[in-house]
Amino acid sequence: MENSILGLHHITAIAGNAKVNHDFYTRILGLRLIKKTVNFDDPETYHLYYGDEAGSPGTILTFFPWGSIGAGRRGTRQATEIGYSVPEGSLDFWQERLEKNHVTYNKAAEKFGEKYLTFLDPDGLKFELTVAKNKDNRTPFVTPEINADHAILGFHQITITTNKIDKTAEILTNIFGYKLMEQHVNRYRFVTDAVEQAAIVDLVEAAGETAGHVAGGSVHHVAFRVKDEATLMYFRDKIVAAGLNITEKIDRNYFYSLYFREPGGVLFELATDNPGFTVDEPLNELGTNLKLPAQYESQRAEIERILPSLI
């Protein structure tokens, strides 16, 4: 669709120890490390990208592992849960795997007619593994321990907790083209029909809850997907017209971005499909080489000395 928000592009979170983070997401969850680079504003810190084999939009989870950073606190004005889609019949496998690896989890439950399993990563970041009502036909990345019958397929939803949903809902519906599909108590499910997967945003209204603290184990920002730069700038005009502050276009090497803070307090990004993750290394080598933004290439030796080993 022309000039559409195509669901979620990526989600970026904050971690502590980089090696622990890498082990958890590649070994325990079975995601592929698709890009090993550094924070644009802090080149002594990794920026690690995990996803499917090619780093397809809608599968990409990224981290800033800031070493000894303190723990965050879930609350309002935050993205509080990341939902992954998994194949039908796989939740028993995941419960057994999480238990075997001493991961904190809750037994399967159900909401909006979908079964899901909740767990926490080593930094306390909250996840849900959901069997979608509508069959998810994406091809997962598989490992020797996790086959295609069980492997994570990509994002299912992101959950945002807010004191009052009205203004955030207006962004989703009036600007992004989402529609309110279902409500259960204080959880409101918004869906876009522009894509089949990674298409859901849940808003949880918690009127009396205090604001969370973004630090270790917290979502830093949520990125929504657009096709290209022309579409990116189309939405920039819409956001400016709504009276919100938004950045100029920023080149993030693998996509072009805009950033703005939605009225409920969560940092939103719009990110393009182009140029993609194979712009600086071939598909079969994704995640194997340290890739640096051009402005830091002259400092490579020092950066490589400072960054910790991931293995």
Side-chain angles (χ1 to χ4, degrees):
M1 294 184 180
E2 292 297 318
N3 294 334
S4 294
I5 296 292
L6 304 174
L8 298 172
H9 183 279
H10 68 271
I11 298 167
T12 294
I14 301 170
N17 183 281
K19 184 179 184 300
V20 170
N21 178 268
H22 176 263
D23 178 73
F24 184 82
Y25 287 94
T26 59
R27 185 183 66 82
I28 296 177
L29 294 193
L31 304 179
R32 184 182 187 188
L33 177 66
I34 57 169
K35 195 62 62 176
K36 180 170 58 173
T37 183
V38 296
N39 187 308
F40 267 79
D41 302 313
D42 179 14
E44 296 182 2
T45 299
Y46 279 119
H47 192 178
L48 303 176
Y49 292 69
Y50 305 99
D52 67 2
E53 183 177 14
S56 304
T59 75
I60 309 158
L61 179 63
T62 94
F63 284 93
F64 303 132
W66 268 312
S68 58
I69 190 168
R73 183 186 68 254
R74 279 188 295 280
T76 58
R77 303 180 66 80
Q78 275 190 338
T80 49
E81 300 159 359
I82 298 171
Y84 273 126
S85 174
V86 293
E88 186 174 359
S90 67
L91 292 185
D92 287 345
F93 166 88
W94 280 107
Q95 180 173 321
E96 181 179 338
R97 184 167 182 80
L98 295 173
E99 191 166 326
K100 177 182 176 182
N101 286 280
H102 310 291
V103 177
T104 300
Y105 73 93
N106 288 330
K107 292 184 178 179
E110 186 173 313
K111 64 172 176 261
F112 296 127
E114 297 176 326
K115 292 183 178 179
Y116 71 97
L117 180 70
T118 302
F119 69 92
L120 303 179
D121 87 345
D123 292 291
L125 188 61
K126 187 177 181 182
F127 287 87
E128 294 176 350
L129 299 177
T130 298
V131 178
K133 284 188 287 192
N134 300 320
K135 184 174 173 59
D136 190 333
N137 292 313
R138 287 178 288 184
T139 300
F141 182 67
V142 298
T143 72
E145 295 185 5
I146 306 173
N147 64 32
D149 291 334
H150 306 122
I152 288 171
L153 297 162
F155 293 132
H156 181 261
Q157 95 281 349
I158 185 71
T159 298
I160 291 169
T161 301
T162 183
N163 295 116
K164 191 171 178 59
I165 73 162
D166 299 36
K167 296 298 183 181
T168 304
E170 286 179 11
I171 298 296
L172 293 177
T173 56
N174 296 349
I175 296 179
F176 286 4
Y178 281 69
K179 297 176 182 178
L180 176 62
M181 295 299 292
E182 299 179 86
Q183 177 191 352
H184 180 66
V185 192
N186 66 333
R187 181 179 290 265
Y188 300 76
R189 174 152 289 187
F190 292 81
V191 181
T192 175
D193 60 6
V195 288
E196 292 185 358
Q197 312 299 343
I200 299 171
V201 178
D202 281 356
L203 298 185
V204 173
E205 188 169 76
E209 191 170 330
T210 57
H213 172 59
V214 174
S218 304
V219 172
H220 185 272
H221 63 267
V222 178
F224 293 85
R225 177 187 176 194
V226 296
K227 178 183 176 183
D228 53 28
E229 294 161 77
T231 313
L232 189 74
M233 301 313 289
Y234 166 83
F235 278 101
R236 187 181 191 280
D237 290 343
K238 291 190 73 171
I239 292 162
V240 169
L244 298 173
N245 293 321
I246 187 167
T247 66
E248 298 295 331
K249 182 178 70 174
I250 300 173
D251 182 354
R252 292 305 194 194
N253 287 3
Y254 311 112
F255 40 84
Y256 294 91
S257 294
L258 300 169
Y259 298 85
F260 72 101
R261 198 167 293 277
E262 57 86 21
V266 177
L267 183 61
F268 279 0
E269 176 182 356
L270 302 180
T272 64
D273 283 358
N274 64 298
F277 291 102
T278 57
V279 69
D280 59 1
E281 57 186 344
L283 180 65
N284 66 324
E285 293 183 15
L286 289 181
T288 61
N289 309 291
L290 177 64
K291 310 306 294 186
L292 296 178
Q295 64 267 35
Y296 298 128
E297 194 59 56
S298 64
Q299 303 171 44
R300 174 174 287 274
E302 179 65 9
I303 290 171
E304 290 181 338
R305 186 187 67 80
I306 292 170
L307 291 175
S309 172
L310 297 179
I311 57 175

